[in-house]
Amino acid sequence: MNAISRRSATAAAGAAVVLAGLITGAGPATAAGTAACTPSVQLLPSLPGLSGGTVLGFGIGGLAVGESGGRPAYWTGAGHAVHAVPLPAGFDRGSVKAVSATGLMVGTATRESDHAGVAFTHQQGAAVSEALTTPAADGTSADVDVNASGRVVAVDRGVAKEWVNGKVVRELPVPAGEIPGTRIISLNGINKRGDIVGTATGSYFDADNDIEVTKTFPVVWPAGGGYPPYSLQVWNGYHRAFATVGRDIDDRGRVIGLEDYYYRNDPKLTPAVWKKPYDALPTDPGRLAGHRHLELSGSSPTTNAAVGTATTFEESWPSSFQAVYWPGKGAPLALPAPAGAPGDVPLTRAFAATDDDRVGGSVTDRNTREGSAVIWNCASGQAYAPQG
């Protein structure tokens, strides 16, 4: 989950069908510690009357969560039957971002009237969803996550909070020593232990040098609140053109994310990885062959895999997306478009990964914008290095 707005893919979907992945290039990767499985790609059904969708997270027993046609949804069973999640009262669109081991779903919702957004919770099988945060101002994004045990994190009215059983159990402080005006703008992930990653930003006017100083950077709060938060180091700071975001944190404390650069219509997305004890600059895992830009969005809890999207820009606008699988070492690899996907050159994106080697995301026709939520099974067995 992230502070930078996601370029969501709208798509049309048919019935859920297990399809063999199209594998090309230099051969499959292998995920350490995963049981034998058969590489395949599943196109998931959309909610009735809607089209398209995205898988954003996974639960236990094959449960997948995300959005369908801009509405919160989840999928269950071998055929991935689709189910609607009710929106909080007064809201029109949204998605489910994550789900706990007991079916507590968390997501975000927006309303058309003023474009305000909230984070919400929904217990699987309940008749309603509950807004967790106060509606944020127009144009302000909401981010939320939940771990397996049901600890929920989000920013509410400018305050970073953690909830257990619907009650706030702690407020997360800004790291000491940061530039004036620093505030937490999003909480993007929480791992099994309860370590939290989020994003902070600060800005002030340096009158001596006649410049605006801005820094946007990831923060990690250790579980339980017994230790102060870590400000993660960034390659480039103190200029508004750079925003560095932590997107997810795995059970070992590894943080994945990106540096987002945009200045004078010249965008650049650079993947970034931080490891404990968070005392060094992030490492750059490299790019997918043939692509200049890559953002990492999700990671598996314990198997060291990460997933994301390689993007091609035409001037300052994204023109193509390619789902990416990174095993944790070596070069990032591509995930194949499913057979039967709409369009001759479909757009694919990846957002979530599991320890049993599944990856969730979306596939979209670049022309019609029709497509589907998608799951890559045995992802490491079909990830490949593109040629040339």
Side-chain angles (χ1 to χ4, degrees):
M1 315 311 147
N2 62 329
I4 300 172
S5 62
R6 286 178 173 152
R7 307 167 187 89
S8 62
T10 57
V17 181
V18 178
L19 299 168
L22 302 178
I23 303 176
T24 62
T30 300
T34 57
C37 58
T38 302
S40 64
V41 186
Q42 291 175 291
L43 296 175
L44 307 190
S46 299
L47 291 169
L50 299 175
S51 64
T54 306
V55 173
L56 296 171
F58 291 97
I60 63 173
L63 176 69
V65 300
E67 61 84 18
S68 176
R71 305 295 192 274
Y74 65 97
W75 295 265
T76 58
H80 286 90
V82 63
H83 309 269
V85 171
L87 284 156
F91 289 83
D92 311 300
R93 300 178 66 83
S95 62
V96 180
K97 306 290 188 181
V99 59
S100 75
T102 59
L104 177 64
M105 300 181 187
V106 297
T108 60
T110 59
R111 61 191 178 204
E112 190 66 27
S113 59
D114 59 359
H115 304 288
V118 294
F120 70 86
T121 60
H122 174 78
Q123 184 61 49
Q124 184 179 1
V128 297
S129 296
E130 299 291 342
L132 183 71
T133 59
T134 302
D138 184 11
T140 303
S141 63
D143 290 282
V144 64
D145 198 18
V146 62
N147 70 359
S149 65
R151 291 182 173 270
V152 180
V153 292
V155 174
D156 183 22
R157 287 179 288 189
V159 179
K161 300 177 180 180
E162 179 181 359
W163 289 260
V164 175
N165 296 324
K167 298 184 181 299
V168 176
V169 295
R170 66 167 169 159
E171 296 182 355
L172 308 177
V174 172
E178 288 300 337
I179 67 175
T182 296
R183 67 193 191 282
I184 309 303
I185 56 174
S186 67
L187 296 181
N188 310 93
I190 179 170
N191 64 14
K192 181 178 180 180
R193 197 171 83 96
D195 304 317
I196 300 164
V197 64
T199 301
T201 191
S203 181
Y204 73 98
F205 184 73
D206 181 351
D208 292 337
N209 296 294
D210 193 30
I211 58 172
E212 186 76 19
V213 177
T214 301
K215 181 184 178 186
T216 301
F217 59 97
V219 179
V220 170
W221 293 266
Y227 296 91
Y230 297 91
S231 294
L232 303 193
Q233 296 184 36
V234 299
W235 293 303
N236 300 285
Y238 307 107
H239 191 286
R240 66 181 182 276
F242 295 97
T244 306
V245 176
R247 287 270 180 81
D248 201 8
I249 184 167
D250 70 13
D251 290 350
R252 302 173 185 177
R254 185 191 65 168
V255 172
I256 57 97
L258 78 152
E259 178 188 81
D260 189 334
Y261 169 83
Y262 186 87
Y263 188 66
R264 294 180 178 175
N265 295 327
D266 182 27
K268 183 180 180 181
L269 304 176
T270 304
V273 179
W274 297 261
K275 294 183 179 180
K276 296 174 72 174
Y278 311 124
D279 58 354
L281 286 169
T283 58
D284 179 349
R287 305 296 174 279
L288 184 69
H291 294 75
R292 292 181 54 204
H293 307 274
L294 173 61
E295 54 185 308
L296 295 177
S297 299
S299 56
S300 62
T302 66
T303 58
N304 216 35
V307 297
T309 304
T311 302
T312 299
F313 290 95
E314 291 183 7
E315 296 182 351
S316 60
W317 297 97
S319 60
S320 68
F321 299 116
Q322 169 63 59
V324 169
Y325 176 92
W326 181 53
K329 60 182 179 180
L333 303 170
L335 289 170
D344 295 331
V345 186
L347 312 176
T348 57
R349 305 193 69 187
F351 295 102
T354 66
D355 282 346
D356 64 1
D357 209 15
R358 287 174 295 152
V359 171
S362 63
V363 58
T364 310
D365 184 310
R366 70 171 62 245
N367 296 315
T368 66
R369 299 297 167 177
E370 295 181 351
S372 176
V374 63
I375 293 175
W376 289 268
N377 296 296
C378 195
S380 66
Q382 55 186 309
Y384 66 95
Q387 297 298 308

